[in-house]
Structures are given as structure tokens and as C-alpha cells.
Amino acid sequence: MPADRLLVTGGAGFIGANFVHYWTQTHAGDRVVVLDALTYAGNLPSIESLRRLETFRFVQGDIRDTALVCKLMREERINRIVHFAAESHVDRSIHGPDAFIQTNVVGTCNLLQAARDVWGDGKGTPDCRFHHVSTDEVYGTLARDDPAFVESTAYDPSSPYAASKAASDHFVRAYHRTYGLRISISNCSNNYGPYHFPEKLIPLMIVNALSGRELPVYGDGSNVRDWLFVEDHCRAIDQILRMDCVGETYNIGGRAETANLDLVRNLCRLLDETIGASPRLQEHYPDCPAARGSSCAELITFVADRPGHDWRYAIDATKLRKATGFQPGESLVSGLRKTVSWYLQNEAWWRPLLDERYAQWVQQNYKRSERS
Ligand code: NAD
Ligand code: TDX
């Protein structure tokens, strides 16, 4: 089989970086070209080790630059676009929706247009595919006993982030129905794991606990999210790309619905255990409560809720399981263990991000605490 030639947008971000590590390990003969604008969320150190591979290329650029995307696609004879690039943080979308409209909506439309310009209607290039990586947040919120989201659940986004992702999903589908573009879409639940920017719940709680800083839980902490270890997400996308499923949408989930407060308490227990058992870590993180025999849970602080905060997400991933047999490889327990261990071993990755952005974070969250 001829090697594939992938354009991975947002490949220096959290899931994109994990995806290109996964892909270069599992499909060593394929060409992988990353296009990433390196916003605050893009980190070259996440993919530094790949830059020595002959099959790998990094290009700094914006997905809204249609000319650049077309040039790259032609130059590299791209036959697969895996589209991760986005503004991804719900809280940021509440403070400033414009960037979300620009990248998530306008950027996705530009990419679609570039793919159409280069591939035509797809008939001449039967092996080409535009895979759009989306989120469960497009479906809105669930009550406790509501059934989980299926692919036909009506879109009902709550945040500007979710609305921008919903709009992009609609455009991707429209380019298939109208122009025959060979697309697929996946809507996934919350990811976690290595290279996760420490503004999102899990990495934020880990790095704050290590430094003895408060662990801000929004509202009463009862909101429920479904969690999937990021490598499982990458594997699911791989399976969708290998399937003959043009025009289809698949939900991807971790079967790990958990209330935020329980999740944070689990993380605290893991950190207490790990740090409590290691004199080296106790010396390295003297401000962490676990270093002095206390629990990180004492840092939990309830703060004002996120406006429009969806209460529960739950994914029914039967369609993907039936089509490919996909099952998450990690449970929440094993995945959180791996994640905590990664952050303990990779302080050189996350520390610089905190030093540069911690002041900004404190400013935002301090205001939030004041209001609660
Ligand atoms: P992220 O914020 O960590 O990374 C986004 C990347 O996109 C960054 O490297 C950034 O530099 C790049 N980028 C942003 N704007 C760009 C532009 N205009 N041009 C080129 N590059 C640009 O995001 P993530 O958490 O890795 O999410 C990746 C994708 O997966 C997103 O589309 C997101 O909606 C979706 N998703 C995320 C999750 C999750 O839990 N993180 C769950 C489901 C779906
Ligand atoms: O400090 C916090 N305290 C807190 O209680 C933060 C950052 C979050 N939370 C809550 C809000 C959510 O209920 O934790 C939950 C998870 O929050 P985030 O990590 O911000 O993720 P979420 O809003 O659920 O969205 C994530 O999953 C779906 C990703 O950021 C999205 O890109 C993805 O589409």
C-alpha cells in the first residue's frame, strides 16, 4: 500500500502533538506535515523529538491562510488532512469569542476550500480524506438520567467555543453534501494525558497541587465529564481514517463519567500517595501538602461557576465500536496514574508555561474567587 501523506493542523497542541507521536510510531513510512500557528497553546517542545525524522515536517502558519494551505498540499501531495487546530478553552471563549470564530469557523472553512481547490470533488483522488476533530460539547448539556449523546442528537451548544465547533461541523458536512468533499467527523469527550496545557482541569490541578496553590473547583463540583486518555483518542481517529466511511460522523468516549469534585479528589489521592512515598519528590515540591504528610485535598477551593456551564456530558460510542471494535485501552484510574507520572517526570515541559502565564492565570482566577 502506498504511504499516506498527512497534513495535521494544530499538531503542536495537546491532542495534535499526541497524534503525531502516535502516527509516526505506528505508521513509520507515512509523511507527516504539521501546520500550526503556535498560539499560546502550541508548543514546539511537545514535538521537538520528531523534527529529526525525515518523514516529518513542521510549518508555522495559520489555517486561515488558504494560499499557504494550498501550496503545502500541492508541494507535499497531501491525501489526508487531520484537522485539530482550534481555540479550545471554554473559559477563554467566554472572555473573548472572536478568536474562536476566526480559527474554528473561518479557519475550518478556509481549510475546506483549500481541500476542494486541490482535491476537486474527490472523485479523482479516492484515497483522500478531510477528518475533522470535534467535541461532544456541540450537543449541549444533559440532566442526570438523560441518555448519552448519539450521533443524531440535535446540536445545542452552550458556550461560544461549543457554538464555534458546531458551526465548523456543519460546514464540514455541507462541503461533503454540496461538493462531494471526502470528509469524516469525530465528536470526542474530554481528553487528558501528556502535553495537556495547564489551563485545563486535570493538568491545572496537578501543577497547582505540586506548588501548594489552590485547586479552583467551579460551582459545587457536581458537573460531570466523560474522560478519555488522549492516546485512545488518537487510536480511534486512526481507525476512522482507515475505514471506508466518507461522510460519516462518529462519537468517541471513554466510558468514564465522573463529577469534577470526585475527579479532583482522585487526583489529590494519587498525588498524596506518590509524593508521600518519595523523599526525593517531597524535597523537590516542599510547598505541596503531601510533602508534609497532609493531603492535597486541603487546597480544594470552591469558586464562582463558569457562566453557561454544561452540567453533564455522556457519549454513546456504539456506532464506532460496532464499526471498528474500538474500546478505550485505559481506564480513568490507569490513565490518571500515567498522567500524574508524566507531569512528575516532565517538569521541564510545563514549568516554562507556568512562569510565563501564571500571572495572567492568577489575575483571572483571583477575580473568580472574589465573586464566589
Ligand atoms: P489545543 O488548544 O491544545 O491546541 C490547539 C492547537 O491549534 C495549538 O497548537 C495552536 O497553536 C493551534 N492553532 C490555533 N489556532 C490556529 C490557527 N489559526 N492556525 C493554525 N494553528 C492554530 O487544543 P486540543 O485540546 O489539542 O484540541 C484539539 C482539537 O480537538 C480541537 O479542535 C478541539 O476542539 C478538539 N477536542 C478537544 C478535546 C479536549 O478534551 N482537549 C476534546 C474533544 C475535541
Ligand atoms: O479550574 C477549573 N475548575 C473547574 O472546576 C477548570 C479549568 C475547569 N473546571 C471544570 C469545568 C468543567 O466542568 O472542570 C471541567 C473540565 O473543564 P476544562 O478542562 O476547561 O474542559 P471542558 O470545559 O470540559 O472542555 C474540554 O473538553 C471538551 C476541552 O477544553 C474542550 O476543548 C473539549 O472540546
Side-chain angles (χ1 to χ4, degrees):
M1 223 167 56
D4 283 316
R5 308 181 67 86
L6 278 70
L7 179 65
V8 181
T9 71
F14 163 47
I15 308 177
N18 278 282
F19 181 80
V20 292
H21 280 286
Y22 165 89
W23 201 272
T24 50
Q25 278 159 26
T26 51
H27 304 268
D30 286 357
R31 176 76 165 159
V32 175
V33 180
V34 165
L35 175 65
D36 196 297
L38 295 183
T39 67
Y40 80 96
N43 273 296
L44 274 186
S46 306
I47 50 173
E48 193 54 45
S49 62
L50 301 177
R51 296 178 80 185
R52 62 184 164 73
L53 300 178
E54 272 182 19
T55 51
F56 182 83
R57 177 178 173 194
F58 173 78
V59 177
Q60 182 171 2
D62 197 310
I63 55 166
R64 288 171 302 171
D65 185 346
T66 319
L68 170 67
V69 177
C70 287
K71 178 173 160 285
L72 266 181
M73 285 184 70
R74 292 201 170 98
E75 207 170 272
E76 295 283 355
R77 292 180 290 113
I78 295 297
N79 70 338
R80 277 157 201 257
I81 296 175
V82 191
H83 177 33
F84 294 95
E87 287 293 336
S88 69
H89 193 37
V90 173
D91 291 335
R92 286 179 188 262
S93 81
I94 294 166
H95 293 297
D98 288 2
F100 290 72
I101 298 164
Q102 281 304 315
T103 287
N104 301 1
V105 186
V106 177
T108 300
C109 290
N110 276 7
L111 266 187
L112 288 164
Q113 193 51 46
R116 188 176 162 227
D117 286 351
V118 176
W119 291 339
D121 62 6
K123 287 201 185 85
T125 41
D127 64 338
C128 63
R129 177 82 66 83
F130 185 114
H131 183 75
H132 179 57
V133 180
S134 192
T135 172
D136 58 1
E137 303 204 10
V138 298
Y139 299 122
T141 190
L142 294 170
R144 191 183 307 274
D145 297 323
D146 285 344
F149 303 129
V150 289
E151 288 77 0
S152 55
T153 301
Y155 277 27
D156 188 18
S158 301
S159 69
Y161 162 72
S164 68
K165 292 297 291 187
S168 67
D169 291 10
H170 291 319
F171 274 104
V172 174
R173 241 172 246 122
Y175 265 67
H176 170 65
R177 292 185 191 158
T178 309
Y179 306 115
L181 194 73
R182 297 173 61 83
I183 64 100
S184 47
I185 300 178
S186 50
N187 294 85
C188 189
S189 59
N190 285 53
N191 284 213
Y192 66 101
Y195 305 115
H196 204 181
F197 193 84
E199 66 181 352
K200 308 281 169 59
L201 182 70
I202 290 180
L204 179 71
M205 296 296 148
I206 296 173
V207 303
N208 275 12
L210 291 176
S211 312
R213 292 173 183 149
E214 65 178 33
L215 307 181
V217 171
Y218 298 169
D220 62 3
S222 66
N223 303 66
V224 173
R225 295 291 180 271
D226 171 53
W227 295 95
L228 179 70
F229 192 64
V230 62
E231 199 181 306
D232 282 326
H233 187 187
C234 298
R235 198 160 47 79
I237 294 173
D238 185 359
Q239 298 192 355
I240 294 170
L241 281 169
R242 275 189 281 155
M243 240 194 308
D244 183 11
C245 62
V246 168
E248 294 293 327
T249 296
Y250 295 91
N251 281 350
I252 309 174
R255 291 192 308 196
E257 278 186 55
T258 310
N260 291 340
L261 186 56
D262 292 336
L263 180 81
V264 174
R265 286 190 175 135
N266 284 342
L267 272 175
C268 289
R269 266 193 293 274
L270 261 178
L271 285 164
D272 292 348
E273 218 177 275
T274 314
I275 300 205
S278 164
R280 184 186 63 79
L281 289 174
Q282 289 161 23
E283 198 181 322
H284 192 69
Y285 296 110
D287 297 324
C288 177
R292 49 171 197 279
S294 292
S295 171
C296 295
E298 74 185 31
L299 299 171
I300 292 175
T301 309
F302 292 96
V303 300
D305 209 351
R306 173 186 278 174
H309 196 178
D310 285 334
W311 190 70
R312 171 178 167 236
Y313 302 139
I315 280 276
D316 181 337
T318 308
K319 181 177 173 186
L320 181 64
R321 184 170 46 75
K322 281 194 172 153
T324 67
F326 175 80
Q327 306 263 25
E330 298 293 343
S331 67
L332 187 57
V333 173
S334 66
L336 284 182
R337 227 171 245 292
K338 281 190 172 176
T339 305
V340 165
S341 158
W342 189 87
Y343 278 83
L344 288 172
Q345 284 164 24
N346 290 278
E347 185 177 336
W349 180 86
W350 54 262
R351 178 68 69 189
L353 302 177
L354 287 194
D355 292 345
E356 285 160 29
R357 289 152 185 139
Y358 183 62
Q360 194 190 342
W361 179 87
V362 168
Q363 212 188 357
Q364 281 171 4
N365 284 274
Y366 185 57
K367 280 200 201 116
R368 193 182 280 283
S369 307
E370 275 179 337
R371 283 200 309 270
S372 67

